[in-house]
C-alpha cells in the first residue's frame, strides 16, 4: 500500500511557482549523484496520468510504482500529476531554477525541444544497451547525447465504425482516395465522414499526429539540414489535397475548426464519426467501449506506403538531478518486463523486445496488445524531430482553420502551415 502525494498541477503562474518549489529534488541522504545505495532517496516524478483514477492505465502506473518501491525499499517515489501542456511550459523553467523533477515523461516529438531548453540530464551508457523494440537513438539533445528512452510505443492507424460502413454499403478503405469516397457517403447519411480537428488544444495533437504519420508514409522530411521547417512540395501537398477534398465533400465535422483529439475520439465512441486517423493507444479502449469500432493499417498515399511514425511517451532524467543512479534504476524498472504486463492491460505497447517473453504475453488477454506491438514494429519508423515541434503543430492548426473557413487549396494549406511554423 503506497501513501503518496498525488498533486494535481495548476495552470496559473502562481500555482506553477508553488509546484516547482514543492517538486524540487529531495536528497534525504545528503549525498550527490549516484547515492541510491548510500541511504534513503526520494525521487520526484512528473507524469500526466493520475494513478488515483479508475482505469487500466492509472492502475498500471499505481501498481508499477508500488512494485518499484517494494523492490527498492530505500527509494521513495513522489509523484506529481502534470498535464503535457504544463510540462512543456514549466519543465524548462524548473530546470533553469534548479528544480526540475528527477524523472519525467515527455511525448516523443517534444523531446528535442525539451532538450534544447536544458530540461534533461544525459542518460547513462546503459540506456543504449537495452533491447528497445524500435531504435531509440533519435531521442537525443543538441549535442547528440541520448536524453530519453521509450516508455511505450504507438503509431497511427485508421479507425472506422463498421456499423456505419455497413449502413452505407462501404468497405474499409485502403487508400486515401477511398477514404474520401467512403467519407462522402457517410456524410450524405448524416455522419461526420472523417474526424479530425484544427484546434490548438493539446498542442494541436489531432492534426499534427496525423500529419507526422503521413509525412513518414510518403517519405517527406519535415525539417531541412539547417533545422528549418521545409516540407512544402508535391508529397506534402497530397496531405493538403486530402483535407481539401474532404471539406469540399462536406465530410469534415461542422465544428472541425475547434475539434480536438478528445472531440474526435468521443465522436467515434458515440457513433457520430465514421472514420479517423488516431494513435494505436485507443485500440483497447474502443474494443471495450464500442465493438463497432475497428482498426486497420493506414491507407496508402499515391506516392507512399503504410509506414507511419513511431511515437509514444518517453522517460528521462531532469536536469541537475542529484539522484541520477536512482532515477535510472526507476526508469529501468518502469520499462522492464516486470512492469510490462501491467502496462499492457491498458493498451500500452511495452518498449523492450524482451518484455514479450513474459508469461502474460502468451495468454489470450494479451492478444490485442501483441497485435498492436506487431503493427508498430512492422508499420512505423522512428525519426528525428526538430526543436520546434510545437510551432509545426500550431502552424498546421492555423492553416487548417484557414483551409476550412477561407477555402484554401491543398497546396495553400501546406505553404501556409510551413510559413507559420517558421515565423
Amino acid at each position: 500500500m503506497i501513501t503518496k502525494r498525488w498533486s494535481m498541477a495548476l495552470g496559473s503562474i502562481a500555482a506553477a511557482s508553488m509546484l516547482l518549489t514543492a517538486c524540487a529534488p529531495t536528497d534525504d541522504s545528503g549525498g550527490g549523484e549516484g547515492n541510491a545505495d548510500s541511504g534513503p532517496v526520494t525521487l520526484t516524478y512528473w507524469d500526466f496520468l493520475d494513478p488515483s483514477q479508475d482505469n487500466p492505465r492509472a492502475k498500471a502506473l499505481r501498481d508499477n510504482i508500488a512494485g518499484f518501491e517494494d523492490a527498492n525499499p530505500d527509494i521513495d517515489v513522489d509523484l506529481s500529476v502534470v498535464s503535457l501542456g504544463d510540462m512543456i511550459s514549466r519543465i524548462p523553467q524548473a530546470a533553469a531554477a534548479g528544480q526540475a523533477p528527477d524523472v519525467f515523461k515527455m511525448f516523443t516529438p517534444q523531446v528535442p525541444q525539451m532538450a534544447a531548453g536544458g530540461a534533461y540530464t544525459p542518460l547513462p551508457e546503459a540506456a543504449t544497451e537495452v533491447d528497445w523494440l524500435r531504435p531509440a537513438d533519435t531521442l537525443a539533445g543538441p549535442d547528440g547525447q541520448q536524453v530519453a528512452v521509450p516508455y511505450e510505443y504507438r503509431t497511427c492507424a485508421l479507425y472506422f465504425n463498421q456499423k456505419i460502413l455497413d449502413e452505407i454499403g462501404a468497405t474499409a478503405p485502403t487508400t486515401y482516395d477511398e477514404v474520401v469516397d467512403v467519407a462522402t457517403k457517410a456524410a450524405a447519411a448524416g455522419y461526420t465522414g472523417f474526424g479530425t480537428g484544427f484546434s490548438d488544444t493539446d498542442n494541436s495533437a489531432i492534426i499534427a499526429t496525423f500529419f507526422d504519420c503521413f509525412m513518414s508514409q510518403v517519405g517527406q522530411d519535415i525539417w531541412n539540414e539547417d533545422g528549418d521547417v521545409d516540407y512544402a512540395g508535391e508529397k506534402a501537398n497530397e496531405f493538403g489535397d486530402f483535407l481539401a477534398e474532404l471539406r469540399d465533400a462536406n465530410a469534415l465535422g461542422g465544428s472541425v475548426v475547434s475539434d480536438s483529439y478528445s472531440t474526435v475520439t468521443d465522436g467515434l465512441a458515440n457513433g457520430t464519426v465514421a472514420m479517423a486517423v488516431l494513435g494505436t493507444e485507443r485500440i483497447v479502449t474502443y474494443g471495450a467501449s464500442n465493438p463497432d469500432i475497428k482498426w486497420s493499417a493506414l491507407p496508402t498515399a499515391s506516392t507512399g506506403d503504410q509506414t507511419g511514425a513511431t511515437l509514444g511517451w518517453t522517460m528521462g532524467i531532469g536536469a541537475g538531478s542529484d539522484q541520477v543512479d536512482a532515477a535510472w534504476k526507476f526508469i529501468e524498472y518502469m520499462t522492464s518486463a516486470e512492469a510490462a504486463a501491467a502496462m499492457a492491460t491498458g493498451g500500452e505497447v511495452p518498449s523492450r523486445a524482451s518484455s514479450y517473453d513474459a508469461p502474460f504475453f502468451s495468454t489470450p488477454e494479451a492478444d490485442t496488445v501483441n497485435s498492436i506491438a506487431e503493427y508498430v514494429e512492422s508499420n512505423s519508423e522512428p525519426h528525428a524531430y526538430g526543436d520546434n515541434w510545437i510551432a509545426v503543430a500550431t502552424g498546421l492548426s492555423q492553416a487548417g482553420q484557414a483551409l476550412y473557413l477561407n477555402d484554401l487549396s491543398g497546396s495553400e494549406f501546406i505553404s501556409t502551415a510551413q510559413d507559420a511554423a517558421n515565423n
Side-chain angles (χ1 to χ4, degrees), residues 59-141:
K59 182 179 184 299
L61 176 61
R62 184 167 66 245
D63 290 349
N64 283 338
I65 290 177
F68 171 77
E69 291 183 321
D70 287 344
N72 299 274
D74 287 338
I75 306 177
D76 186 56
V77 179
D78 186 9
L79 170 66
S80 290
V81 181
V82 186
S83 71
L84 174 60
D86 282 345
M87 281 199 206
I88 289 171
S89 64
R90 297 214 320 263
I91 283 183
Q93 297 172 0
Q99 297 176 330
D102 293 305
V103 180
F104 63 93
K105 276 185 183 172
M106 184 53 58
F107 200 55
T108 303
Q110 275 90 37
V111 169
Q113 188 165 342
M114 291 296 100
Y120 289 103
T121 291
L123 292 174
E125 182 66 25
T128 66
E129 301 168 357
V130 178
D131 59 331
W132 305 115
L133 192 64
R134 312 297 295 132
D137 55 351
T138 58
L139 300 173

Side-chain angles (χ1 to χ4, degrees), residues 23 34 38 194 203 238 273 303 315 321 333 406 417:
C23 293
S38 61
F194 185 87
N203 304 302
E238 186 171 351
V273 174
T303 59
M315 299 186 79
S321 172
Y333 183 91
N406 301 331

Side-chain angles (χ1 to χ4, degrees), residues 7-52:
S7 61
M8 296 301 297
L10 304 176
S12 68
I13 295 176
S17 299
M18 291 175 63
L19 186 57
L20 291 181
T21 301
C23 293
T26 303
D27 184 358
D28 292 340
S29 66
E33 180 177 321
N35 65 357
D37 297 324
S38 61
V41 169
T42 296
L43 289 177
T44 53
Y45 173 47
W46 286 13
D47 197 309
F48 70 98
L49 286 174
D50 181 357
S52 67

Side-chain angles (χ1 to χ4, degrees), residues 47-299:
D47 197 309
F48 70 98
L49 286 174
D50 181 357
S52 67
Q53 293 183 345
D54 184 21
N55 63 66
R57 294 173 76 193
K59 182 179 184 299
L61 176 61
R62 184 167 66 245
D63 290 349
N64 283 338
I65 290 177
F68 171 77
E69 291 183 321
D70 287 344
N72 299 274
D74 287 338
I75 306 177
D76 186 56
V77 179
D78 186 9
L79 170 66
S80 290
V81 181
V82 186
S83 71
L84 174 60
D86 282 345
M87 281 199 206
I88 289 171
S89 64
R90 297 214 320 263
I91 283 183
Q93 297 172 0
Q99 297 176 330
D102 293 305
V103 180
F104 63 93
K105 276 185 183 172
M106 184 53 58
F107 200 55
T108 303
Q110 275 90 37
V111 169
Q113 188 165 342
M114 291 296 100
Y120 289 103
T121 291
L123 292 174
E125 182 66 25
T128 66
E129 301 168 357
V130 178
D131 59 331
W132 305 115
L133 192 64
R134 312 297 295 132
D137 55 351
T138 58
L139 300 173
D143 57 1
Q145 287 187 291
Q146 188 170 341
V147 295
V149 297
Y151 171 74
E152 55 88 29
Y153 289 125
R154 62 187 66 177
T155 186
C156 302
L158 176 69
Y159 291 80
F160 56 91
N161 187 308
Q162 187 64 59
K163 184 177 180 180
I164 295 176
L165 266 57
D166 290 344
E167 178 184 332
I168 63 176
T171 57
T174 59
T175 68
Y176 283 105
D177 286 341
E178 291 176 0
V179 171
V180 174
D181 291 340
V182 174
T184 301
K185 294 177 181 177
Y191 301 100
T192 295
F194 185 87
T196 191
F198 303 136
S199 169
D200 60 4
T201 300
D202 299 327
N203 304 302
S204 311
I206 181 67
I207 189 64
T209 300
F210 183 19
F211 174 80
D212 190 12
C213 282
F214 192 97
M215 293 299 100
S216 292
Q217 286 189 266
V218 300
Q220 175 60 55
D221 292 333
I222 298 174
W223 297 268
N224 62 25
E225 293 181 356
D226 295 326
D228 298 322
V229 178
D230 186 17
Y231 55 74
E234 182 178 352
K235 292 181 178 180
N237 286 346
E238 186 171 351
F239 182 78
D241 290 341
F242 171 72
L243 295 174
E245 290 170 10
L246 290 169
R247 175 203 62 201
D248 295 342
N250 295 316
L252 296 173
S255 57
V256 66
V257 295
S258 60
D259 283 343
S260 64
Y261 208 97
S262 61
T263 309
V264 175
T265 56
D266 290 347
L268 270 173
N270 63 34
T272 61
V273 174
M275 293 177 293
V277 169
L278 301 169
T280 49
E281 78 280 358
R282 300 285 171 171
I283 290 172
V284 170
T285 302
Y286 282 137
S289 64
N290 188 343
D292 291 326
I293 305 300
K294 309 298 182 184
W295 70 283
S296 67
L298 284 169

